[in-house]
């Protein structure tokens, strides 16, 4: 009969109730359980039958007493034989017949049951054990190897083979004798020359390299099949040959790091549950599971080896079984740290990433400059490439705990790492409804009116799928990103505020102020008043360095330029402090602080032009022009670029280009109040000096400002200079590398080493006369110390 059963259609599946599907699943599971139970019962019966057959195996009577009879004297033999001689012939024959039957040995003689009685359920294990005949312990018991039993019509017949026993003592004696003889006749090892030892070491090293390369290439070519070779490669981390141990271990560390970077999947491998392990799966799925399990375990052991290497170096531990000296520990630790840093950046999604973070972050504060630099660079790269924020949050948590645990006694670079965080999305935080793309779905009334019953079911399933896709693509990822970034920034600000409150004299303060200057626009408005009071009190105490005070000013104006616009706060005291301290800058060590000053001026004047008075702008313009005379060229370029912005942003700045005074009063350059120094009654005579500066770019800017900073015409700047900000020009013309920008063309005179072979003397008579004189000249030795000898003699 042809099978007409068809696969159920989507329509039929929609009609099928969930209860019916659950019942089908339960019936299927019940059948599987009953089949497994039946199989277990059959196996149990088979094992019991084998045990019963082994316990009922007959033992001949003669073997049991052979040893005992052989060891008795003749008198005892006669005593035992005496009762048999006194028996009748019929009784003796009966006993001999019974002795030949197996049932006589295995039967309980006290019971009245027949010989071949069947096994009963009430028979206990102890009674069955007591019925088994005892063996005499006169001879050593032989070990048996049980084989598969044979089954025939009579029943199950067990099969066993005696295990061969080797004469170990005799072999050991022979081995010891051979060892002693070998020691007696052992020849001393040949003494190798340094060249031979170097050649032998190169050969061993080449063999190890080839072995490492073969294993690595095999794993990379077929990771699923050759995952076990990872264990063999990882075992080479314990290389014991002292000649090549250090190099081999370094090579294995780097090779395993590259293998894990290539082989690791793009998802985190989770451990299987007990239910998942019990279920039967396809061969491909089982193979994938075995590969993932092996990869995770070997990755874990590899990270533990790297961690142990670093710990041994930190604790200066030298193990007895180790062949590496203490001096080589540092090189191994550096390679281990480098491998951990590479894995931190390359596998932020994979297993044990948080464990790597816990290892790397404390090493940022390590005294070794090489190791700390490696960790800094790794964390910076991680922050720059982390788009979602999981890894950044983990690192920030560990750094915060480290700073608090060490009582703020860490290097400032540990906190400066926060400046590389990619946190810009917090200010764009909105409700999840606004973030998720809006999709209009049909109402129930519209569906009822326009669609049939079957179409409504299809539409319902389709809309459900679309909602899930939209949540997965847009809403979920953006919400997670904003939550992670908000939590990360909260931890950063908690660390900053804790240092401002409890450790104001700590060397971490500059890093804190720099971080506040960058993230100040993301701080909650509730903290603005308290934070500005703290910043001003830090400046007023006078205990800060010049750079730290500049960071305080920059932080305050970043706060006021963002959400602080709505607050009615007058930052005049910050303007006054900057104006008062501008002349602390010079061409020496404080030249680098001019970059921060240019940022402060940009925030204080360009972004707050409506809140700045004309008198204040004129005072800063005059003082900056004076400052440009005694700083390096790159600082002069940056300051003049800022003056150009002043003249283009604020009206009537060209007053300082005339010699005539405006209004009453005299300019007071030593006064520290920019509002009351009468800057309108002075002139920018410094520009004429800067026009004769040795740097060509400074000359261009000075001439441009003297012309009134026009945007067009002959006095305008080139696009290369006009479109760049003051901070960019300061960095572009920096002289850190001892290079002059623009480069100076080298002018070297051309030397003529050879003369042309032309006839310089045309007159033949003159040539002949010169040749004759040259031939007659007698060469005499020159004595340059002749006058000294004469003076000494006189």
């Amino acid at each position: 009969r042809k099978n007409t059963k068809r696969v159920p259609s989507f329509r039929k599946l929609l009609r099928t109730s969930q209860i019916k599907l659950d019942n089908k699943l339960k019936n299927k599971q019940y059948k599987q359980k009953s089949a497994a139970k039946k199989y277990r019962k059959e196996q149990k019966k088979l094992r019991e039958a084998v045990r019963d057959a082994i316990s009922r195996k007959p033992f001949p009577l003669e073997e049991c007493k052979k040893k005992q009879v052989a060891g008795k004297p003749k008198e005892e033999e006669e005593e035992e034989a005496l009762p048999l001689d006194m028996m009748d012939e019929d009784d003796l024959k009966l006993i001999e017949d019974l002795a030949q039957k197996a049932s006589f040995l295995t039967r309980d003689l006290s019971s009245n049951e027949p010989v071949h009685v069947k096994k009963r359920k009430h028979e206990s294990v102890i009674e069955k054990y007591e019925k088994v005949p005892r063996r005499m312990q006169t001879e050593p018991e032989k070990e048996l190897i049980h084989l598969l039993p044979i089954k025939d019509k009579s029943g199950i017949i067990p099969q066993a083979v005696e295990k061969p026993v080797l004469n170990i003592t005799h072999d050991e004696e022979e081995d010891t004798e051979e060892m002693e003889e070998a020691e007696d006749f052992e020849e001393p090892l040949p003494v190798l020359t340094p060249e031979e030892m170097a050649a032998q070491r190169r050969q061993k090293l080449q063999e190890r390299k080839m072995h490492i390369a073969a294993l690595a290439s095999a794993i990379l070519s077929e990771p699923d099949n050759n995952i076990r070779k990872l264990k063999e490669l990882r075992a080479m981390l314990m290389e014991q040959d002292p000649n090549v141990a250090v190099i081999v271990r370094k090579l294995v560390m780097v090779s395993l790091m590259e293998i894990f970077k290539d082989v690791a999947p793009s998802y985190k491998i989770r451990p299987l549950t007990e239910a998942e392990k019990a279920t039967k799966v396809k061969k491909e799925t089982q193979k994938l599971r075995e590969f993932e399990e092996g990869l995770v375990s070997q990755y874990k052991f590899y990270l533990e080896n790297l961690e142990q290497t670093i710990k041994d170096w930190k604790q200066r531990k030298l193990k007895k079984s180790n062949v590496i000296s203490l001096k080589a520990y540092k090189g191994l630790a550096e390679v281990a740290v480098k491998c951990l840093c590479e894995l931190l950046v390359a596998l932020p999604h994979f297993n044990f990433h948080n464990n790597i973070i816990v290892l790397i972050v404390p090493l940022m504060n390590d005294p070794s400059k090489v190791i700390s630099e490696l960790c800094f660079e790794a964390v910076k790269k991680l922050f720059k490439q982390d788009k979602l924020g999981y890894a950044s949050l983990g690192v920030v948590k560990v750094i915060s705990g480290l700073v608090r645990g060490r009582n703020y006694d860490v290097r400032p670079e540990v906190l400066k790492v926060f400046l590389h965080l990619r946190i810009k999305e917090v200010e764009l935080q909105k409700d999840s409804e606004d973030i998720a793309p809006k999709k209009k779905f049909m109402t129930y009334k519209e569906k009822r009116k326009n669609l049939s019953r079957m179409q409504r079911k299809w539409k319902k399933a389709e809309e459900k799928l679309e909602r899930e896709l939209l949540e997965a693509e847009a809403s979920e990822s953006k919400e997670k990103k904003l939550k992670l970034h908000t939590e990360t920034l909260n931890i950063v600000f908690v660390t900053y505020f804790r240092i401002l409150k409890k450790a104001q004299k700590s060397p971490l303060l500059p890093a804190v102020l720099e971080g506040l200057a960058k993230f100040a626009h993301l701080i909650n408005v509730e903290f603005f008043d308290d934070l500005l009071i703290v910043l001003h009190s830090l400046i007023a105490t006078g205990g800060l360095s010049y750079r730290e005070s500049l960071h305080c000013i920059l932080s305050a104006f970043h706060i006021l330029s963002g959400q602080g616009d709505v607050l009615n706060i007058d930052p005049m005291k910050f303007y006054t402090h900057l104006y008062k301290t501008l002349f602390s800058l010079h061409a020496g060590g404080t030249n680098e602080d001019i970059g921060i000053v240019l940022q402060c001026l940009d925030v204080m004047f360009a972004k707050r032009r409506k809140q700045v008075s004309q008198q204040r702008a004129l005072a800063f313009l005059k003082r900056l022009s004076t400052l440009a005379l005694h700083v390096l060229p790159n600082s002069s370029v940056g300051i003049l670029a800022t003056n150009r912005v002043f003249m283009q942003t604020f009206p009537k700045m060209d007053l300082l280009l005339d010699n005539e005074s405006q209004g009453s009063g005299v300019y007071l350059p030593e006064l520290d109040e920019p509002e009351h120094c009468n800057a309108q009654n002075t002139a920018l005579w410094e520009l004429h000096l800067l026009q004769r500066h040795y740097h060509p770019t400074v000359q261009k800017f000075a001439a441009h400002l003297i012309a009134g900073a026009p945007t067009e015409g002959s006095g305008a700047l080139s696009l290369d200079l006009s479109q760049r900000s003051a901070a960019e020009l300061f960095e572009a013309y920096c002289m850190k590398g001892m290079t002059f920008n623009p480069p100076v063309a080298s002018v070297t005179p051309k030397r003529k080493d050879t003369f042309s072979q032309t006839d310089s003397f045309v007159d033949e008579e003159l040539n002949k006369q010169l040749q004759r004189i040259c031939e007659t000249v007698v060469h005499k030795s020159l004595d340059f110390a002749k006058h000294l000898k004469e003076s000494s003699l006189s």
Side-chain angles (χ1 to χ4, degrees), residues 526-571:
E526 299 173 358
F527 302 113
F528 280 4
D529 289 334
D530 297 335
L531 195 54
L532 287 174
I533 292 170
V534 170
L535 293 175
H536 184 257
S537 64
L538 286 172
I539 295 174
T541 54
L544 301 179
S545 65
Y546 188 68
R547 176 171 289 190
E548 292 171 3
S549 63
L550 289 177
H551 281 305
C552 283
I553 296 170
L554 187 61
S555 302
F557 280 97
H558 271 301
I559 291 171
L560 295 174
S561 63
Q563 304 175 35
D565 285 338
V566 297
L567 301 177
N568 189 15
I569 298 174
D570 185 18

Side-chain angles (χ1 to χ4, degrees), residues 609-712:
R609 61 175 68 92
K610 294 181 180 179
Q611 289 88 358
V612 178
S613 63
Q614 183 181 354
Q615 292 293 330
R616 196 182 305 175
L618 288 170
F620 270 92
L621 180 61
K622 173 63 179 176
R623 183 155 286 198
L624 287 172
S625 301
T626 308
L627 179 64
L629 290 172
H630 53 272
V631 289
L632 292 180
N634 62 328
S635 303
S636 297
V637 171
I639 291 171
L640 294 176
T642 304
N643 287 350
R644 176 176 178 267
V645 174
F646 272 63
M647 297 182 73
Q648 291 179 349
T649 304
F650 296 97
K652 299 182 180 180
M653 288 292 107
D654 54 351
L655 292 174
L656 300 181
L657 298 177
D658 290 336
N659 293 330
E660 297 179 1
S661 60
Q662 301 288 332
S664 61
V666 180
Y667 174 60
L668 303 173
E670 71 280 358
L671 192 65
D672 292 335
E673 293 293 333
E675 297 283 350
H676 309 293
C677 65
N678 299 322
Q680 73 276 2
N681 293 324
T682 185
L684 296 178
W685 52 266
E686 297 88 356
L687 296 178
H688 292 279
L689 294 177
L690 291 170
Q691 200 173 7
R692 295 192 294 272
H693 198 275
Y694 69 89
H695 199 282
T697 310
V698 177
Q699 296 176 11
K700 291 179 183 178
F701 266 99
H704 174 66
L705 292 177
I706 289 173
T711 56
E712 296 178 352

Side-chain angles (χ1 to χ4, degrees), residues 696-739:
T697 310
V698 177
Q699 296 176 11
K700 291 179 183 178
F701 266 99
H704 174 66
L705 292 177
I706 289 173
T711 56
E712 296 178 352
S714 59
L717 287 174
S718 61
L719 292 176
D720 183 36
L721 297 176
S722 61
Q723 291 183 352
R724 286 205 248 178
S725 64
E728 291 175 355
L729 291 169
F730 173 76
E731 293 293 334
Y733 291 94
C734 183
M735 299 175 67
K736 283 183 181 178
M738 301 302 291
T739 56

Side-chain angles (χ1 to χ4, degrees), residues 358-388:
V358 174
L359 280 174
I360 290 295
V361 169
L363 292 175
M364 294 165 64
N365 197 40
D366 195 81
S368 175
K369 188 176 180 182
V370 177
I371 290 179
S372 60
E373 287 290 335
L374 285 172
C375 298
F376 283 135
E377 293 300 323
V379 174
K380 288 176 186 176
K381 288 181 183 176
L382 183 66
F383 282 162
K384 287 179 181 178
Q385 74 178 20
D386 186 22
K387 296 181 179 179
L388 193 58

Side-chain angles (χ1 to χ4, degrees), residues 18-193:
Q18 187 65 32
I19 299 172
K20 189 173 181 181
L21 294 175
D22 293 342
N23 290 338
K24 283 185 177 181
L25 181 61
K26 288 179 182 178
N27 292 337
K28 188 177 180 181
Q29 291 176 353
Y30 179 74
K31 287 181 182 179
Q32 290 177 353
K33 288 181 181 178
S34 61
K37 191 174 181 182
K38 186 177 180 182
Y39 177 74
R40 286 197 298 270
K41 283 184 179 180
E42 290 178 356
Q43 292 296 321
K44 188 176 179 182
K45 287 181 180 179
L46 181 61
R47 287 195 295 271
E48 288 177 354
V50 172
R51 280 200 298 270
D52 292 342
I54 292 171
S55 64
R56 292 180 181 180
K57 182 179 179 181
F59 298 97
L61 187 63
E62 291 81 9
E63 288 185 6
C64 293
K65 294 187 178 182
K66 187 186 293 181
K67 192 74 177 178
Q68 186 178 0
V69 172
K72 288 186 178 182
K74 294 181 179 179
E75 295 178 359
E76 293 180 1
E77 290 181 6
E78 292 176 357
E79 289 177 1
E80 286 187 0
L82 184 60
L84 295 176
D85 293 340
M86 295 174 66
M87 286 184 181
D88 295 336
E89 293 182 1
D90 296 336
D91 295 336
L92 184 60
K93 189 175 181 181
L94 178 61
I95 290 171
E96 289 177 355
D97 293 339
L98 289 172
Q100 300 297 327
K101 294 183 179 179
S103 61
F104 178 77
L105 297 175
T106 59
R107 182 186 172 195
D108 188 3
L109 300 178
S110 61
S111 64
N112 297 323
E113 293 179 355
V115 177
H116 299 289
V117 67
K118 291 186 177 181
K119 183 180 176 182
R120 296 179 181 178
K121 289 185 179 180
H122 66 270
E123 187 178 6
S124 64
V125 180
I126 299 173
E127 292 176 358
K128 186 175 70 174
Y129 179 78
E130 289 296 333
K131 292 176 185 178
V132 177
R134 272 61 169 175
R135 282 188 179 183
M136 300 297 293
Q137 297 295 330
T138 53
E139 60 182 21
E141 211 173 301
K142 296 181 179 180
E143 294 185 21
L144 299 177
I145 301 174
H146 296 286
L147 304 178
L148 292 174
I150 301 171
K151 187 176 181 181
D152 59 359
K153 294 180 180 179
S154 60
I156 296 174
I157 303 172
Q159 299 290 319
V161 178
E162 292 183 3
K163 187 176 181 180
V165 180
L166 301 174
N167 193 1
I168 300 171
T169 57
H170 181 67
D171 294 343
E172 287 180 356
E173 290 175 0
E174 288 181 355
D175 293 340
T176 52
E177 290 175 0
E178 289 177 0
M179 290 288 290
E180 290 174 359
E181 291 176 0
E183 288 178 359
D184 295 338
F185 295 101
E186 187 177 3
E187 296 181 359
L189 293 173
V191 180
L192 299 177
T193 61

